[in-house]
Amino acid sequence: MRLIDVVQFASGSLRGSRSRTLLMILAMSIGVAAVVVLTGLGEGARRYVVNQFSSLGTNLVIVLPGRTETAGVGPGMLLGQIPRELSLDDAQALLHSRSIGRIAPLTVGSSQISMDALNREVVVLGSTADLLEVRHMSLGQGQFLPAGDMHSSESVCVLGAKIRRELFGQRQAIGAWVRLGDRRFRVVGVMASQGESMGFNTDEIVIVPVASAHMLFNTSGLFRILVEAKSRDAIEPAKHDAEEILLRRHNGERDVTVITQDAVLATFDRILRALTLAVGGIAAISLAVAGILIMNVMLIAVSQRIKEIGLLKALGAPAAQIRNLFFAEAILLSGIGSVVGLILGEAGVWVIAGIYPSLPVAAPWWAVLAALGTALGTGIMFSVWPARRAARLDPVMALAR
Amino acid sequence: MIRLDKVSRSFTVGDQQVAALRNIDLNIAAGDYVSIMGPSGSGKSTLLNLIGLLDRPSSGTYKLDGGDVTDLNDVQQARVRSKKIGFVFQSFHLVPRLTAAMNIELPLMLAGISPAERKARVVQLLDNYGLTDRADHRPDQLSGGQRQRVAIARATSMHPAVLLADEPTGNLDQATGKEVMSLLEQLVAQKVTLILVTHDPVIGGRAQRQLHMVDGQIINETGRGT
């Protein structure tokens, strides 16, 4: 028997029992669509996190004061000591490493900002000119903090887009003076509106030189030092150098934590990938259920078509041919079901992407392949038994029915 | 053409052995027209199934067209059925979802014959049996006589040497039955070996050789051939 004839005969018998065929295709397609949509969501979440991280800057190494011990409590904590703080000189020293390109010390506090009669509470970020590059921020108008000695405490500030709007409205902000706490600052620039980025809304901050922030808050410590390695390959050496330099400067005490963005990102990536796999796996169970449904319906089809099977045998079809005919039916069913499911799933993903535009939902190619594979696999696997049963029918008995 | 030697066939019913055929010896020459008659349960259908290779003898040997076909496996049996044997059944056994033309085409399709040749043969057969204007009708749109004509056309589509008919007129009225019989007899004129199972002595009496069966044995043979 020719392959095309097998396919035509099988599709003919599928068309012969329309409602049965439609129901099976529906079951199969729901399974495939579930896998596509759920893995698409998981993958979307993963991509969302990855995007957020890369918006923080590339090749980032972050130095934070204090050491988080993974094994037990550090001796300093038992004595009630607070960790030694990171100083501006520490930050400056990091530039001696050949792997480190730029650094941006960071100190954070909150303060009252006022302009004429208007005032509000703002988050004040103390940093240097390099912050703009290191954190991939973009400037809306004017200039960023002046480059030069990080110890100089010039009274200039850069406003977040929303702060500018609230304080100045339509008026020109550049060159105006605002009051932060008990000091006056001249506005030199305004940030472009960027929105939320890792829980940090850059539209609602004010950025001042780090030394000015230290005076404003009466501290000398740094909240973070953002370090940009010179290249992707330089990330590990940069991390190592930063640890070594600070170890030397802090009299041999390991009291800082150095993390690479890559490591954090990789962890998130792993977690979300596992999550995607898990929801995909749960959805795949519905595919197995669809497979069992196919088996059930194929068994019924075999007993309904006993006469036809007997006839085919009398007309010269060997057992293997009968088996192939039923196989072809199962493959057609699960194949059509998969394609319909794929279309449904992609449509679902499209709808979700329309509802949540910030979530980059898309079913990963491996999930699509896995869904199609599972659908075809279960379809074929669960039709083995019915097909064998059909093939083994005794033609005499079958024809006598 | 057909040679059965001491062929027996027994079935296990519950824990009892029931003999359907006992020590049948039978010789049928090519082009013979043979009817097998007898009461129900006499084993005539079992004998026909055996000759048609739908069944295997419990003992004895069966030679078809010079070759021993007693112990063929499933694939070999199917090949012999496809090439040498045609079946006509009492209840027609047409596939309900296929048109008359597609039903006739079925054995050709199973044998893997090219679509072009299939089409030519089907057109010829439809014409031979006066079914050309019924080609695209499904079995439920055909009369009993037309259905049996489709079945005969299907049985002869592979040009078999042996045609086996099990009560071919059983579901037809007398006039249509006669019509069907004359179609079958025309095939005998074309050197096809026709073996007919019936319990109707009038139908069976038309054959050259008439075998009478009781209790799984051929008790006597009458007819013009002897």
Side-chain angles (χ1 to χ4, degrees):
Chain A
M1 202 168 169
R2 284 153 190 261
L3 183 64
I4 175 100
D5 290 327
V6 173
V7 173
Q8 268 173 4
F9 190 86
S11 62
S13 57
L14 286 180
R15 277 197 301 273
S17 43
R18 202 156 302 204
S19 55
R20 166 178 84 93
T21 305
L22 286 181
L23 279 176
M24 293 226 278
I25 288 175
L26 185 68
M28 213 54 175
S29 57
I30 287 175
V32 173
V35 172
V36 170
V37 169
L38 288 178
T39 54
L41 274 176
E43 181 72 3
R46 192 183 70 82
R47 283 199 210 167
Y48 179 75
V49 169
V50 171
N51 287 350
Q52 290 287 306
F53 266 100
S54 57
S55 78
L56 273 183
T58 38
N59 307 335
L60 265 194
V61 177
I62 301 159
V63 182
L64 36 151
R67 185 157 189 92
T68 319
E69 294 285 350
T70 47
V73 183
M77 292 186 199
L78 283 179
L79 297 171
Q81 286 174 351
I82 48 161
R84 184 205 300 255
E85 42 185 34
L86 280 168
S87 67
L88 270 182
D89 293 329
D90 286 339
Q92 196 117 47
L94 291 179
L95 286 172
H96 294 315
S97 161
R98 266 182 298 151
S99 305
I100 292 172
R102 277 188 283 235
I103 61 148
L106 217 56
T107 177
V108 180
S110 87
S111 170
Q112 198 84 9
I113 185 170
S114 55
M115 156 77 197
D116 296 343
L118 298 168
N119 71 82
R120 64 160 284 176
E121 194 80 9
V122 287
V123 175
V124 177
L125 219 59
S127 193
T128 58
D130 282 340
L131 178 71
L132 194 69
E133 296 293 325
V134 173
R135 268 228 38 193
H136 290 192
M137 292 167 139
S138 48
L139 200 60
Q141 39 178 289
Q143 286 152 2
F144 199 64
L145 300 178
D149 183 13
M150 56 174 76
H151 288 283
S152 85
S153 55
E154 282 185 72
S155 293
V156 293
C157 71
V158 177
L159 301 183
K162 191 175 174 197
I163 303 289
R164 189 209 70 83
R165 205 163 52 242
E166 286 180 0
L167 292 183
F168 291 94
Q170 298 301 316
R171 282 176 295 147
Q172 177 62 262
I174 309 286
W177 288 85
V178 294
R179 179 172 286 279
L180 271 173
D182 54 356
R183 288 169 59 102
R184 272 158 47 86
F185 289 84
R186 192 166 53 86
V187 178
V188 292
V190 177
M191 302 304 297
S193 181
Q194 274 183 312
E196 195 103 0
S197 153
M198 289 306 282
F200 210 54
N201 194 338
T202 50
D203 292 355
E204 292 193 61
I205 55 170
V206 173
I207 303 168
V208 299
V210 62
S212 309
H214 279 157
M215 281 187 190
L216 194 59
F217 300 125
N218 194 22
T219 58
S220 57
L222 293 173
F223 169 65
R224 296 277 188 276
I225 305 173
L226 302 181
V227 176
E228 192 183 58
K230 280 187 171 154
S231 69
R232 201 174 167 76
D233 293 331
I235 291 176
E236 276 309 312
K239 180 186 175 192
H240 179 79
D241 287 355
E243 276 173 344
E244 287 306 309
I245 289 168
L246 293 174
L247 182 70
R248 248 193 341 267
R249 288 183 57 84
H250 290 189
N251 308 327
E253 235 181 291
R254 287 189 184 273
D255 56 1
V256 297
T257 305
V258 182
I259 52 174
T260 62
Q261 178 179 249
D262 257 25
V264 182
L265 180 58
T267 308
F268 267 102
D269 196 63
R270 269 202 305 279
I271 292 171
L272 288 164
R273 217 177 261 277
L275 206 72
T276 306
L277 270 178
V279 289
I282 292 168
I285 291 175
S286 64
L287 274 180
V289 173
I292 291 171
L293 194 77
I294 285 198
M295 174 164 74
N296 193 8
V297 177
M298 291 302 276
L299 281 174
I300 295 171
V302 169
S303 53
Q304 273 176 347
R305 277 159 48 196
I306 276 185
K307 265 195 198 169
E308 183 185 321
I309 295 163
L311 172 78
L312 291 177
K313 286 200 161 183
L315 296 182
Q321 215 165 61
I322 308 265
R323 200 170 53 224
N324 290 346
L325 284 175
F326 276 85
F327 259 151
E329 269 188 48
I331 292 171
L332 275 178
L333 269 181
S334 40
I336 296 170
S338 315
V339 171
V340 172
L342 209 58
I343 294 169
L344 281 181
E346 291 293 351
V349 164
W350 186 75
V351 168
I352 292 171
I355 297 171
Y356 304 106
S358 63
L359 197 64
V361 273
W365 61 269
W366 53 263
V368 172
L369 281 189
L372 293 183
T374 319
L376 282 175
T378 48
I380 292 166
M381 201 173 73
F382 285 111
S383 65
V384 167
W385 185 34
R388 276 168 64 112
R389 217 158 101 155
R392 282 186 183 167
L393 270 179
D394 175 8
V396 175
M397 300 280 277
L399 285 167
R401 286 275 288 263
Chain B
M1 184 72 197
I2 291 170
R3 188 187 179 92
L4 298 182
D5 253 329
K6 292 198 171 40
V7 163
S8 298
R9 178 74 172 101
S10 54
F11 297 98
T12 313
V13 179
D15 49 2
Q16 265 187 317
Q17 286 278 319
V18 179
L21 296 176
R22 308 165 200 252
N23 281 323
I24 302 265
D25 289 316
L26 181 63
N27 261 311
I28 296 174
D32 268 5
Y33 177 12
V34 183
S35 67
I36 306 173
M37 287 181 282
S40 56
S42 58
K44 52 190 194 303
S45 289
T46 306
L47 180 58
L48 198 73
N49 289 334
L50 244 157
I51 294 172
L53 288 173
L54 292 176
D55 202 356
R56 281 190 179 83
S58 307
S59 65
T61 56
Y62 171 19
K63 282 185 180 151
L64 176 68
D65 215 0
D68 191 337
V69 292
T70 320
D71 295 313
L72 294 185
N73 65 25
D74 168 75
V75 177
Q76 294 165 324
Q77 270 194 341
R79 193 175 300 139
V80 174
R81 279 200 298 269
S82 166
K83 292 220 165 100
K84 296 186 177 168
I85 298 168
F87 287 94
V88 177
F89 304 96
Q90 175 176 4
S91 50
F92 322 129
H93 280 311
L94 301 179
V95 180
R97 64 166 188 279
L98 300 181
T99 62
M102 286 159 92
N103 265 290
I104 294 171
E105 196 185 352
L106 211 47
L108 304 170
M109 191 185 85
L110 291 172
I113 289 169
S114 75
E117 192 185 341
R118 261 153 43 188
K119 196 165 182 328
R121 279 211 222 174
V122 169
V123 168
Q124 180 65 48
L125 283 163
L126 284 167
D127 186 47
N128 287 355
Y129 290 92
L131 291 163
T132 305
D133 54 339
R134 299 277 160 205
D136 294 327
H137 290 228
R138 290 180 205 285
D140 56 4
Q141 298 164 318
L142 299 173
S143 72
Q146 287 168 339
R147 287 187 211 181
Q148 198 59 300
R149 292 215 301 270
V150 172
I152 294 170
R154 182 179 65 191
T156 55
S157 62
M158 288 289 290
H159 307 309
V162 181
L163 197 63
L164 305 175
D166 192 350
E167 303 273 13
T169 60
N171 280 0
L172 302 173
D173 62 54
Q174 222 164 4
T176 332
K178 251 189 187 157
E179 196 189 306
V180 164
M181 284 312 296
S182 64
L183 285 176
L184 290 173
E185 282 156 11
Q186 276 170 30
L187 292 169
V188 178
Q190 295 161 24
K191 295 288 171 216
V192 173
T193 310
L194 175 63
I195 303 175
L196 180 75
V197 161
T198 181
H199 62 265
D200 183 343
V202 179
I203 301 282
R206 295 163 70 120
Q208 294 163 340
R209 297 175 61 187
Q210 297 149 27
L211 307 178
H212 298 269
M213 285 187 75
V214 171
D215 271 348
Q217 286 176 307
I218 298 172
I219 49 165
N220 71 338
E221 179 172 345
T222 56
R224 285 166 279 167
T226 48

